[in-house]
Structures are given as C-alpha cells and as structure tokens.
Amino acid sequence: MKYKLIVSDMDGTLLGDNHKITEENKIALSKALEKGVKIVPASGRIYNSAREHFDFLDINTPLIACNGAIIKETKTNKLIYKNNIPNDICLKIIDIFEKNEVYYQLYSENTMMCKNCILWSILMERAVFL
C-alpha cells in the first residue's frame, strides 16, 4: 500500500517534550516527502504558532489550525478555509461564561484570548518544564 497523505497532530505527536519537532519526526517527514507523500499538520494552536514548526520542510502545504477553523498554505499564507463564530455570538457566549465564572480560551486566526491568561501562562510553563 502506498500512502499519499499524512495528517498529523502536533502537541504530543510530532512535538517532543520541549515543544519542538523531534529529530526522529523530522527525518520521517523528510523521507515521506521524498517518496511523494503529502504532509499536512493539524493543530488546535493558532496558525502562526503552528506554522513556525514546519519551515524546515521548505514546502507549501495546507496547515489546519485553530482546531480546524482555519486552513492556510504554509509558504504563501493563502487562506483555503475559514469558519469562525460571528462576533455577536462570541460576545454572548463570553457573557454566559463570565456570569457563571467559567474559564474560557478563544482563538482568532493569530491570537489566543482567555479569561485569566496569566494563570494559563503559568500552567503552560509548568507543563513545559515538568
């Protein structure tokens, strides 16, 4: 069987404990490319955060970001797909979260917003260094 496409998550899959693509995965992806296999990264991360990890491939590939809400080409940044929640609905959802003291994270194309970003940053920092 000849594979034509590899779609892979990043965090906990392609990225190692240091949040960088492991050398083993770089080699595997490069070998797949040599055999004509297409590579498509997929991530819950915002686009720019996900994209920076794939410059080493030096290819123009679709990158699925923001949990599937955005798909762009990595070299040209050409938008292929975008599906966002309208602002008025977002504001209503945030209002409900705030009233009920629910922690939230919202992603736009290149920004992450959250109820308590300082707390989130501390938690992520601890996760990176544990």
Side-chain angles (χ1 to χ4, degrees):
M1 173 194 274
K2 183 179 177 193
Y3 293 99
K4 296 180 181 181
L5 173 69
I6 296 173
V7 179
S8 180
D9 182 40
M10 293 176 53
D11 293 296
T13 307
L14 289 176
L15 305 184
D17 292 338
N18 63 354
H19 295 273
K20 299 202 182 296
I21 295 181
T22 65
E23 286 305 312
E24 295 85 359
N25 284 336
K26 283 183 179 182
I27 292 167
L29 292 174
S30 296
K31 284 183 179 181
L33 284 170
E34 288 172 9
K35 293 183 178 191
V37 177
K38 307 274 188 223
I39 308 293
V40 177
S43 181
R45 292 172 176 236
I46 59 176
Y47 175 76
N48 284 343
S49 174
R51 186 182 153 275
E52 70 184 35
H53 293 284
F54 292 92
D55 289 339
F56 79 94
L57 290 175
D58 198 34
I59 59 171
N60 192 35
T61 184
L63 186 147
I64 302 167
C66 297
N67 291 311
I70 292 174
I71 303 174
K72 283 178 140 183
E73 292 180 348
T74 55
K75 285 283 187 190
T76 65
N77 288 321
K78 177 184 171 194
L79 183 66
I80 298 170
Y81 173 83
K82 185 174 184 176
N83 187 359
N84 56 313
I85 300 171
N87 287 346
D88 61 326
I89 294 173
C90 257
L91 291 172
K92 288 177 186 176
I93 292 169
I94 290 171
D95 188 49
I96 292 168
F97 287 160
E98 289 288 338
K99 286 179 182 172
N100 291 285
E101 298 182 13
V102 174
Y103 174 82
Y104 57 86
Q105 286 182 207
L106 304 171
Y107 298 86
S108 68
E109 187 170 334
N110 290 308
T111 307
M112 184 204 69
M113 298 156 275
C114 56
K115 179 176 175 85
N116 185 340
C117 288
I118 293 171
L119 174 61
W120 184 86
S121 294
I122 292 168
L123 292 173
M124 286 306 294
E125 183 177 298
R126 287 183 182 164
V128 169
F129 296 109
L130 290 180

